[in-house]
C-alpha cells in the first residue's frame, strides 16, 4: 500500500514568484517520485512564523485531526523546519513530520546508484541531520520505512554527533578521491582539446532525452523528477567533423537545498569545466520563466552563469500555437527551439553549437614521418581519418582535423 502523505503548505503571506499552488503541485510530484501519494493538501498560515512549530498552534491541532481521519502516515512541510520545530510538530500531530529538504534528500538516496552519488547523498543527509540532533531528537521511531528513512538508516540516526562528524569527514575524504580521478579524466580530455558541452536544466526538462537524440546514449528518461543523478558523458562527431563530448547530469530545482548542491559539487564540476552549456528548458510549461530563473540561480552558485550558453527551448511538439514558441524565442538570448523527443530542429541546434564553439575543421593530406607516431595517434583521437597508408619512411594520412592540429601536422603552412 502506498504511503499516505498530508501536505502542509506553509503560507508566509509574502508575495513570491512561486505561487502556493505551484509549490503544492511540485511537492506532490516530489512525493510521487517516492512512490507515495498526497491524500490532502492544507494551507498553513505562518505569519508571523513561530519558533516552536513554524505554523500557528491552532493549525497543528487541525492537521492532527485531519491526519487521523485520513489515516495519513507522514506530514510533509513545504518549508525547511528547525530540529526543535520538527520535534514539536511530531509530538503535536502524532505521526512522522518531515520537510521539503528531507523529501528531496530521500529521493536522491533512493535514486543514487554510483559510488560517488551514494557518497554525495549520504554526506548531504548527515550534514542536514547533524545540527538537528538535539535532545530527544528521535522521539518517534523511524523504523518501518517510508519517506525520510532511506539512506543512512536507523543505526546511524542514533549515533551521537561526534560519530556523525567522523563519518562526515570520512565521506568528504572519499569524495575527494573520486573527484581526483574525475579531474584526471578531465585533464586527459583537455590535453586532447575535445570541447565539453554540458546539458543543464530544471529536472524533467528533457536533458537525457536530448542526449539520447544527439548521441547514441541510452540514458534513462522518465516523466518524473530527478530521474538522472549520475553524470554521463558521450563523445560525438559533429557534422563538421569536430569531436565533442556531451555530458548529462542531475537536474536542478528551485530552492535546491544548499547542502545538496555542496555535496554534489564534484558531479557538478563537469558544468564548471564545460566549454559550452546547453540550458534545456521545457518551454511547454507555462511557468518556464520561473524554471529558467531557478536554474540560473544554481548556475550562479556554481560560478557557471557567465559561461557561453545556448538556451534550448524543448518540447515544442507539445505547443499547438507556434506563435508561443516565437515569443519564447525572443524572450531569451541565444535560443533554439527543438523537440528532443521527436528530433525536430536538432540540425539547427548542432549548427548553433558549431557556431558557438567556433572551432572549424579542415581537410589535410599529409605525410607524417615514421618517428612521429604521436601525431598519428592525435589524428586518431581528435579527428576523422579518411585514409591512412604506411610507406617506408612516412605515413600518408588524409583526414579532417581541427585547425590547431592541422597546424601541427603541416607546420610550414602555419595554420594554427
Ligand atoms: N513531448 C515531449 N516530451 C519530451 C521531450 N523531451 C523530453 N520529453 C519527456 O519529458 C520527460 C523527462 O525527460 P528526461 O529526458 O528524463 O528529462 P531530464 O531533464 O533528463 O530529467 P531529470 O533527469 O529528471 O532531471 C520524459 O517523459 C520525456 O519523454 C520533447 O521534446 N517532447
Ligand atoms: Mg535526466
Amino acid at each position: 500500500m502506498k504511503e499516505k502523505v498530508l501536505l502542509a503548505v506553509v503560507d508566509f503571506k509574502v508575495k513570491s514568484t512561486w505561487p502556493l499552488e505551484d509549490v503544492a503541485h511540485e511537492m506532490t510530484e516530489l512525493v510521487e517520485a517516492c512512490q507515495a501519494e498526497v491524500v490532502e493538501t492544507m494551507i498553513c498560515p505562518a505569519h508571523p512564523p513561530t519558533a516552536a512549530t513554524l505554523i500557528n498552534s491552532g493549525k497543528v491541532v487541525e492537521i492532527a485531526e485531519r491526519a487521523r481521519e485520513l489515516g495519513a502516515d507522514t506530514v510533509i512541510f513545504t518549508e525547511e523546519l528547525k530540529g526543535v520545530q520538527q520535534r514539536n510538530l511530531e509530538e503535536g500531530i502524532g505521526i512522522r513530520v518531515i520537510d521539503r529538504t528531507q523529501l528531496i534528500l530521500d529521493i536522491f538516496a533512493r535514486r543514487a546508484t554510483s559510488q560517488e552519488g551514494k557518497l554525495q547523498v549520504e554526506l548531504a543527509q548527515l550534514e542536514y541531520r547533524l545540527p538537528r540532533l538535539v535532545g530527544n531528537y528521535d522521539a518517534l521511531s523511524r523504523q518501518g520505512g517510508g519517506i525520510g528513512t532511506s539512506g543512512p538508516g536507523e543505526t546511524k540516526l542514533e549515533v551521537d554527533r561526534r560519530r556523525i562528524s567522523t563519518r562526515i569527514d570520512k565521506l568528504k575524504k572519499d569524495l575527494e578521491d573520486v573527484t581526483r580521478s574525475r579531474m584526471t579524466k578531465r585533464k586527459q580530455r583537455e590535453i586532447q582539446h575535445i570541447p565539453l558541452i554540458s546539458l543543464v536544466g530544471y529536472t524533467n526538462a528533457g536533458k537525457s532525452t536530448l542526449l539520447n537524440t544527439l548521441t547514441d546514449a541510452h540514458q534513462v528518461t522518465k516523466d518524473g523528477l530527478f530521474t538522472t543523478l549520475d553524470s554521463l558523458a558521450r563523445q560525438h562527431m559533429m557534422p563538421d567533423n569536430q569531436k565533442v563530448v556531451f555530458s548529462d547530469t542531475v537536474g536542478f530545482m528551485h530552492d535546491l537545498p544548499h547542502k545538496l548542491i555542496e555535496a554534489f559539487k564534484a558531479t557538478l564540476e563537469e558544468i564548471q569545466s564545460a566549454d559550452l552549456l546547453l540550458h534545456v528548458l521545457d518551454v511547454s510549461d507555462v511557468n518556464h520563466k520561473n524554471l529558467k530563473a531557478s536554474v540560473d540561480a544554481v548556475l550562479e552558485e556554481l560560478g557557471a552563469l557567465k559561461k557561453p550558453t545556448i538556451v534550448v527551448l524543448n518540447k515544442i511538439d507539445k505547443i499547438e500555437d507556434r506563435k508561443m514558441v516565437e515569443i519564447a524565442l525572443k524572450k531569451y538570448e541565444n535560443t533554439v527551439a527543438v523537440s528532443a523527443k521527436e528530433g525536430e530542429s536538432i540540425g539547427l541546434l548542432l549548427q548553433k553549437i558549431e557556431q558557438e564553439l567556433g572551432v572549424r575543421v579542415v581537410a589535410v593530406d599529409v605525410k607524417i614521418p615514421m618517428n612521429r607516431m604521436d601525431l598519428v595517434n592525435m589524428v586518431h583521437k581528435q579527428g576523422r581519418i579518411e585514409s591512412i597508408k604506411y610507406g617506408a619512411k612516412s605515413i600518408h594520412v588524409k583526414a579532417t582535423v581541427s585547425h590547431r592540429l592541422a597546424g601541427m601536422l603541416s607546420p610550414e603552412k602555419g595554420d594554427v
Side-chain angles (χ1 to χ4, degrees):
M1 215 175 65
K2 276 189 175 173
E3 180 176 352
K4 290 183 182 171
V5 171
L6 192 152
L7 204 58
V9 182
V10 180
D11 183 6
F12 292 122
K13 282 263 157 59
V14 288
K15 224 172 134 24
S16 157
T17 45
W18 283 84
L20 287 185
E21 310 85 77
D22 291 352
V23 170
H25 176 74
E26 193 169 78
M27 282 290 281
T28 305
E29 287 187 39
L30 284 168
V31 170
E32 282 163 6
C34 282
Q35 270 79 53
E37 63 173 330
V38 173
V39 290
E40 178 92 333
T41 301
M42 292 174 81
I43 305 288
C44 306
H47 43 97
T50 69
T53 52
L54 184 68
I55 58 170
N56 309 351
S57 54
K59 203 73 193 179
V60 179
V61 177
E62 231 180 276
I63 293 177
E65 278 167 11
R66 200 67 191 118
R68 226 182 348 267
E69 278 167 24
L70 295 163
D73 305 290
T74 308
V75 180
I76 304 185
F77 277 72
T78 53
E79 295 294 328
E80 200 160 285
L81 298 169
K82 294 201 169 70
V84 65
Q85 292 171 334
Q86 184 176 7
R87 199 168 60 236
N88 290 338
L89 285 163
E90 284 192 336
E91 272 165 19
I93 299 170
I95 55 173
R96 184 171 52 235
V97 172
I98 64 167
D99 63 18
R100 180 177 184 267
T101 301
Q102 273 174 295
L103 175 64
I104 294 175
L105 290 175
D106 201 272
I107 296 172
F108 274 64
R110 285 165 194 248
R111 301 274 163 89
T113 49
S114 71
Q115 184 211 6
E116 185 179 22
K118 284 180 180 160
L119 289 172
Q120 292 175 133
V121 179
E122 186 179 350
L123 178 62
Q125 285 188 313
L126 292 181
E127 290 208 314
Y128 173 85
R129 284 176 193 174
L130 188 61
R132 289 173 170 76
L133 291 183
V134 282
N136 181 24
Y137 64 86
D138 210 4
L140 276 180
S141 166
R142 282 165 195 265
Q143 264 169 354
I147 301 171
T149 60
S150 311
E154 173 80 348
T155 49
K156 283 199 191 68
L157 268 174
E158 289 173 348
V159 299
D160 60 16
R161 273 171 176 272
R162 191 173 48 78
R163 284 191 53 200
I164 289 194
S165 299
T166 313
R167 178 80 188 138
I168 286 177
D169 289 344
K170 166 89 170 63
L171 286 170
K172 281 186 177 162
K173 276 212 190 71
D174 289 352
L175 268 172
E176 265 171 33
D177 291 343
V178 181
T179 310
R180 208 168 298 127
S181 82
R182 188 183 280 279
M183 297 276 269
T184 316
K185 272 193 216 144
R186 196 166 81 210
K187 284 239 170 62
Q188 283 165 356
R189 193 165 53 223
E190 273 165 13
I191 291 164
Q192 292 175 14
H193 299 286
I194 302 178
L196 172 65
I197 305 166
S198 249
L199 279 70
V200 297
Y202 212 81
T203 176
N204 214 33
K207 300 176 292 299
S208 303
T209 308
L210 184 60
L211 182 83
N212 291 346
T213 304
L214 287 169
T215 72
D216 59 354
H218 299 284
Q219 228 7 7
V220 177
T221 66
K222 212 172 124 196
D223 190 15
L225 307 183
F226 299 119
T227 305
T228 311
L229 281 199
D230 301 316
S231 297
L232 179 80
R234 274 277 173 278
Q235 278 206 7
H236 180 70
M237 190 66 89
M238 296 292 284
D240 68 358
N241 282 345
Q242 163 77 25
K243 213 178 251 181
V244 298
V245 172
F246 285 106
S247 108
D248 177 27
T249 189
V250 57
F252 299 161
M253 174 172 267
H254 87 274
D255 284 340
L256 209 52
H258 185 75
K259 290 280 178 220
L260 197 63
I261 300 178
E262 274 287 302
F264 271 72
K265 276 261 159 82
T267 298
L268 297 173
E269 259 171 24
E270 292 274 317
I271 295 172
Q272 284 162 322
S273 65
D275 298 283
L276 175 67
L277 301 182
L278 300 187
H279 182 153
V280 184
L281 182 63
D282 179 356
V283 73
S284 73
D285 190 321
V286 289
N287 210 9
H288 60 79
K289 197 171 146 226
N290 276 345
L291 302 181
K292 180 162 186 302
S294 303
V295 171
D296 284 347
V298 183
L299 288 174
E300 170 107 78
E301 200 172 331
L302 295 171
L305 188 59
K306 299 240 153 62
K307 276 199 181 284
T309 305
I310 298 173
V311 179
V312 183
L313 305 178
N314 191 29
K315 308 197 187 182
I316 54 169
D317 57 293
K318 283 173 87 176
I319 302 177
E320 267 173 36
D321 184 0
R322 286 292 166 115
K323 266 198 221 111
M324 301 307 290
V325 178
E326 292 301 320
I327 293 169
L329 277 167
K330 291 199 187 101
K331 205 178 182 94
Y332 309 111
E333 263 176 56
N334 214 15
T335 48
V336 191
V338 306
S339 165
K341 198 170 166 189
E342 308 295 333
E344 191 180 337
S345 299
I346 297 298
L348 220 61
L349 172 61
L350 289 171
Q351 267 177 27
K352 199 148 187 103
I353 293 172
E354 283 174 352
Q355 273 169 20
E356 280 298 320
L357 291 176
V359 193
R360 289 276 158 184
V361 288
V362 284
V364 288
D365 182 342
V366 287
K367 288 196 168 129
I368 300 172
M370 273 300 182
N371 62 355
R372 292 306 306 270
M373 273 311 284
D374 58 317
L375 289 178
V376 178
N377 287 340
M378 275 171 99
V379 177
H380 265 296
K381 280 205 180 109
Q382 299 176 28
R384 171 173 280 176
I385 293 190
E386 310 299 341
S387 74
I388 184 159
K389 284 193 193 109
Y390 289 83
K393 288 192 187 131
S394 64
I395 305 151
H396 186 181
V397 178
K398 287 185 186 172
T400 32
V401 296
S402 69
H403 273 275
R404 191 179 170 281
L405 184 52
M408 290 167 77
L409 294 173
S410 19
E412 71 277 8
K413 286 181 195 152
D415 197 5
V416 181

